[in-house]
């Protein structure tokens, strides 16, 4: 993100620049129609690219006020785009720009591309990663206000946890509760496999949890892991670990 490039890795080992000179793109997700949606700190928006390499903003404001700095995004089974909107990108100059927020909250949103409706679903200290369970009935959201301690003058909130919510048929969230806290660092990005296991990044590697929050295992990484994603078949986990892209082949 600080280098303002979206990179593409290919199975033969090639790494190419897919989009150069980005507006501090962070999280990305694939839509059912094959288009990519992006979180942009620079333009403080959700954008979409349709293969032409030119991302176009599709969500920029909530109730007439500019978003903070969208961080991560996932697409639900019904095509709705869910994203987190913390303030990292307007507090850290290497991730965006230093500006005062227009919103007085940091939230998770649901955007329906069919009718353009944007709904504020839940508020957090600083929401970060998010992902659905395999059946779509549970939403996991990480809250990582602890990371603001990396900024000179950062606030004292020490939140470093993943919360989960029940998801109704219309997308409404309820019964928010603690899922887990990491012992080292904070749970930045994470992924959920077909069994419902949660694979979360932390300061020391990848921590694996059962759907009931029981810790199943740990995979150390050579550098701090910030996000992870499964190959479509679920047999390989890709991990973004600072200066490495790691691939873990799994026995399922």
């Amino acid at each position: 993100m600080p280098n303002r490039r979206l990179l593409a890795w290919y199975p033969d080992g090639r790494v190419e620049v897919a989009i150069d000179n980005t507006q501090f793109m962070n999280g990305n997700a694939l839509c059912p129609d094959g288009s990519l949606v992006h979180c942009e700190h620079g333009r403080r928006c959700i954008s979409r690219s349709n293969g032409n390499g030119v991302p176009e903003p599709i969500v920029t404001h909530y109730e007439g006020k500019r978003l903070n700095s969208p961080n991560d995004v996932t697409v639900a089974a019904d095509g709705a785009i869910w994203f987190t909107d913390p303030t990292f990108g307007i507090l850290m100059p290497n991730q965006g720009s230093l500006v005062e927020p227009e919103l007085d909250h940091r939230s998770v949103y649901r955007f329906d591309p069919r009718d353009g409706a944007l709904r504020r679903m839940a508020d957090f200290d600083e929401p970060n990663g998010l992902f659905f369970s395999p059946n779509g009935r549970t939403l996991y959201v990480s809250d990582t206000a602890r990371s603001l301690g990396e900024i000179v003058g950062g606030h004292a909130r020490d939140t470093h946890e993943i919360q989960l919510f029940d998801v109704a048929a219309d997308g409404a969230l309820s019964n928010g509760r603690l899922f887990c806290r990491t012992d080292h660092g904070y749970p930045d990005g994470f992924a959920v496999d077909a069994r419902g296991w949660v694979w979360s990044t932390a300061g020391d590697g990848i921590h694996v949890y059962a759907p009931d929050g029981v810790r199943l295992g740990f995979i150390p990484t050579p550098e701090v892991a910030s996000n992870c994603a499964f190959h479509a078949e679920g047999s390989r986990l890709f991990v973004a670990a600072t200066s490495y892209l790691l691939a873990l082949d799994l026995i399922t």
Side-chain angles (χ1 to χ4, degrees):
M1 179 172 53
N3 289 327
R4 301 179 61 184
R5 297 181 299 171
L6 180 67
L7 302 175
W9 177 89
Y10 294 86
D12 63 4
R14 287 180 296 130
V15 177
E16 297 180 353
V17 177
I19 303 177
D20 202 0
N21 194 30
T22 73
Q23 294 294 321
F24 295 96
M25 278 184 182
N26 197 341
N28 306 273
L30 185 66
C31 291
D33 63 1
S35 62
L36 278 172
V37 287
H38 320 278
C39 294
E40 297 190 19
H41 285 190
R43 293 192 292 185
R44 299 161 67 185
C45 71
I46 298 296
S47 62
R48 178 168 53 205
S49 55
N50 298 294
N52 57 7
V54 181
E56 299 292 338
I58 56 174
V59 186
T60 60
H61 292 70
Y62 174 70
E63 295 186 343
K65 297 180 179 180
R66 287 194 69 178
L67 299 174
N68 296 314
S69 57
N71 183 280
D72 205 0
V73 60
T74 190
V75 180
D78 62 359
I81 298 169
W82 292 66
F83 64 94
T84 57
D85 187 40
T87 57
F88 303 132
I90 56 177
L91 294 177
M92 299 180 177
N94 70 330
Q95 295 190 16
S97 57
L98 296 176
V99 297
E100 290 295 321
E102 296 182 16
L103 297 168
D104 62 359
H105 52 85
R106 296 152 301 280
S107 308
V108 165
Y109 294 91
R110 178 186 184 273
F111 173 70
D112 191 333
R114 295 169 296 188
D115 58 13
L118 179 65
R119 296 167 57 189
R120 175 181 168 190
M121 309 305 293
D123 298 337
F124 299 83
D125 284 344
E126 294 287 349
N128 196 323
L130 75 170
F131 213 93
F132 285 96
S133 63
N135 62 12
R137 297 174 184 170
T138 301
L139 176 69
Y140 299 87
V141 182
S142 65
D143 197 338
T144 62
R146 167 179 281 189
S147 62
L148 291 179
E150 302 169 2
I151 309 172
V152 175
H155 58 67
R157 291 198 298 271
D158 192 46
T159 319
H160 54 287
E161 64 192 34
I162 295 177
Q163 298 184 34
L164 73 161
F165 296 83
D166 298 331
V167 184
D170 65 352
L173 302 181
S174 63
N175 195 24
R177 56 209 185 270
L178 176 68
F179 178 70
C180 70
R181 287 193 178 95
T182 52
D183 296 328
H184 300 88
Y186 43 86
D188 194 336
F190 57 92
V192 182
D193 69 15
R195 297 163 293 193
W197 293 8
V198 177
W199 301 65
S200 175
T201 61
D204 52 354
I206 301 294
H207 294 257
V208 187
Y209 300 89
D212 60 2
V214 172
R215 188 171 177 269
L216 300 175
F218 167 67
I219 304 168
T221 54
E223 294 183 352
V224 174
S226 60
N227 213 335
C228 59
F230 283 100
H231 183 270
E233 297 177 353
S235 59
R236 172 173 277 193
L237 180 72
F238 290 98
V239 180
T242 310
S243 58
Y244 294 98
L245 175 64
L246 307 175
L248 307 176
D249 290 321
L250 308 172
I251 300 175
T252 58

